[in-house]
Each structure stands twice: as C-alpha cells, then as structure tokens.
Amino acid sequence: MHLNFYSQILVRIQAALEASSAVFARFTPGAIETEYKIGRDPVTEADRALDAVLRQELLRDGEGWLSEESVDDPVRLQRSNVWVVDPLDGTREFVAGIPEFCVSIGYVEHGRPVAGGIYNPATGETFLGSIASGVTYNGNPSQASQRKNLDGARSEEH
C-alpha cells in the first residue's frame, strides 16, 4: 500500500478518536455502574458505547473487526485488513476514577500491524501513527527515546 492509503487510514483513526471524546463526555470516571464478564473483567455502558462509535467510524465493507467488547466474528480471519480495538483500555482504572485509561485502535494489513492510535481523555494525550508516517504525540512528531539505560529517565507523579 502507498502513503496516501495510510494517510486515509490515519484520518479514519483520528475521526474515531475524536468521536470517542464525545462518548467519554457522557460518563464520569469513578462514578459509573459496572457489570462483570466471565473472569471478573469489568464492563460498563461506556465500553459498549465506545465500541459502537468506533465500529461506526472505522469499519468499511470488506474489513474485519476484532474488539474486546464485541463477540468475535470468525469472518475477520478471511479479511486481509482488520481493525483491532480496545474501546476502553483500562476499564478497571476508569471505574476507579484513575486517569490511566484510553481508547486503543490498531489497523492490521495481511497480519501486519501498520497503523494505530491511542487517546487518553483524562490527560488529553493522543498518539497516532503508521508505518508510512511515523508517530505523532498530540499532533507533533514524536519518537521513542534512544536511551539504552534508565539513567536520566524521569517519572511523573499523578
């Protein structure tokens, strides 16, 4: 695939992350009813609402879908392009009101992850990138640290 294709995928991811922001605005972290899936994994109305918005914003004919909040459809295994999402990555933290939750979106092409985005509404942080464009952090070019050890690393208090 070419750069223009990945640019279009990133536009779709960005739109989905922005749409998820409106969904998050309807809920208050730390004050939301919680149900539990098998294995004691929490699930909330926010999880389901985010899944629906992401599916609407991202999925197109011929693409597969794998979401932590949807029943898996084995048809995705026949698709060369698949969205892999966790609509509310960190539901436990969301339920507890800890600002360490996000929307996670990945796009996989022929079994290879090629684009993705992460949005944390509590901190206003957005990471977006593809194999063709590199990564941005809140719209600015970014890259992983080149440090080989922890000397000079920093931690931030929450």
Side-chain angles (χ1 to χ4, degrees), residues 3 5 23 25 38 55 70 75 78 85 110-111 124 131 136 142:
L3 180 61
F5 175 79
V23 174
I38 296 172
R55 182 184 290 263
S70 304
V75 170
Q78 300 166 18
V85 302
H110 302 288
I131 59 170
T136 61
S142 183

Side-chain angles (χ1 to χ4, degrees), residues 53-95:
V53 164
L54 295 179
R55 182 184 290 263
Q56 178 182 347
E57 290 289 328
L58 296 169
L59 191 60
R60 302 289 185 271
D61 286 340
E63 296 175 336
W65 183 259
L66 178 61
S67 170
E68 186 170 328
E69 303 308 331
S70 304
V71 175
D72 189 16
D73 182 352
V75 170
R76 73 175 166 78
L77 298 173
Q78 300 166 18
R79 307 288 189 216
S80 56
N81 297 328
V82 178
W83 291 100
V84 179
V85 302
D86 190 344
L88 181 45
D89 191 359
T91 301
R92 282 187 175 84
E93 290 75 10
F94 184 73
V95 167

Side-chain angles (χ1 to χ4, degrees), residues 96-120:
I98 300 168
E100 296 177 5
F101 52 88
C102 62
V103 175
S104 297
I105 300 171
Y107 189 75
V108 177
E109 184 178 65
H110 302 288
R112 179 179 174 217
V114 295
I118 297 173
Y119 168 62
N120 181 332

